[in-house]
């Protein structure tokens, strides 16, 4: 897992066994999404990148504490996932520290930034394996349209001609500490 929770509890709300192919950057009329990665330094969290981190700034040492922030321009429901280079995945939001029960998606308000991993209840650490990883934001207008509880997203090409979601992907490189 490239991003992992530093707590011993699992990040998954339930077991997910069915792959669902999704578009990495899906657009919806009237909805814009933004995704940001921050890293903790001695003075708190600082932004590493917005959007595509496939450059020197996107290289993060394994063990670094990070936060993922996102915003949508419309009310809806969101899930945030981490996918590593080996196909491993974690649902990092909603999680049992942000929402009680097994929420299918988290309600989000228009133009409100949500950050995951900035508080002491739920910390995100860059974990192995080293290499290219992705953070994937999946937004829908209703909770029922969110990814099914038994499914997990696989970045690819959604075969549906008009998917009912908006999405964006942020890529970064997890690297061994030097």
């Amino acid at each position: 897992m490239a991003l992992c929770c530093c707590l011993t509890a699992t990040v998954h709300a339930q077991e997910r066994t069915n792959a669902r192919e999704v578009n990495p950057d899906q657009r919806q009329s009237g909805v814009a999404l933004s995704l940001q990665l921050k890293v903790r330094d001695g003075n708190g969290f600082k932004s590493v990148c917005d959007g595509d981190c496939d450059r020197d700034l996107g290289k993060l040492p394994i063990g670094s504490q990070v936060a993922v922030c996102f915003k949508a321009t419309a009310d809806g429901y969101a899930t945030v996932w981490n996918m590593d280079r080996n196909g491993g995945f974690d649902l990092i939001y909603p999680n049992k520290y942000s929402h009680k029960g097994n929420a299918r998606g988290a309600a989000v308000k228009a133009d409100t930034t949500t950050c995951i991993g900035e508080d002491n209840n739920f910390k995100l650490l860059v974990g192995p394996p080293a290499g290219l990883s992705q953070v994937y934001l999946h937004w829908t207008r209703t909770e029922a349209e969110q990814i099914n509880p038994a499914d997990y997203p696989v970045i690819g090409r959604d075969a549906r001609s008009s998917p009912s979601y908006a999405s964006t992907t942020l890529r970064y490189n997890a690297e061994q500490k030097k």
Side-chain angles (χ1 to χ4, degrees):
M1 307 293 147
L3 285 183
C4 57
C5 175
C6 71
L7 304 173
T8 56
T10 180
V11 177
H12 299 285
Q14 60 273 328
E15 186 68 25
R16 293 177 181 259
T17 55
N18 302 318
R20 176 176 167 192
E21 200 158 2
V22 294
N23 296 326
D25 292 296
Q26 177 66 39
R27 304 291 175 236
Q28 279 291 317
S29 177
V31 181
L33 302 176
S34 63
L35 194 52
Q36 179 184 35
L37 187 62
K38 296 179 178 183
V39 66
R40 185 179 197 110
D41 64 12
N43 299 318
F45 285 91
K46 67 176 183 176
S47 181
V48 175
C49 67
D50 295 309
D52 191 1
C53 292
D54 248 6
R55 57 187 189 277
D56 288 341
L57 292 176
K59 293 181 180 175
L60 298 172
I62 291 174
S64 299
Q65 185 178 350
V66 297
V68 174
C69 300
F70 69 91
K71 181 168 58 170
T73 58
D75 290 354
Y77 290 81
T79 54
V80 180
W81 303 78
N82 187 78
M83 298 163 201
D84 68 34
R85 69 180 182 104
N86 293 338
F89 67 92
D90 277 311
L91 172 63
I92 59 175
Y93 187 79
N95 59 65
K96 72 181 192 175
Y97 301 99
S98 67
H99 295 79
K100 294 184 192 254
N102 290 332
R104 188 166 173 175
V108 294
K109 293 290 184 193
D111 300 315
T112 301
T113 299
T114 300
C115 290
I116 308 144
E118 283 188 332
D119 62 34
N120 289 327
N121 292 327
F122 189 77
K123 294 180 183 176
L124 293 173
L125 300 176
V126 176
L132 184 65
S133 293
Q134 302 177 81
V135 176
Y136 173 75
L137 169 60
H138 190 90
W139 177 94
T140 57
R141 294 186 191 283
T142 67
E143 189 173 16
E145 294 172 304
Q146 267 298 327
I147 294 173
N148 289 326
D151 296 348
Y152 61 92
V154 175
I155 302 295
R157 193 177 79 109
D158 194 320
R160 296 175 292 172
S161 62
S162 184
S164 63
Y165 61 89
S167 64
T168 191
T169 305
L170 181 146
R171 299 184 302 172
Y172 66 94
N173 278 295
E175 64 180 5
Q176 297 293 334
K177 286 187 177 180
K178 296 177 182 177

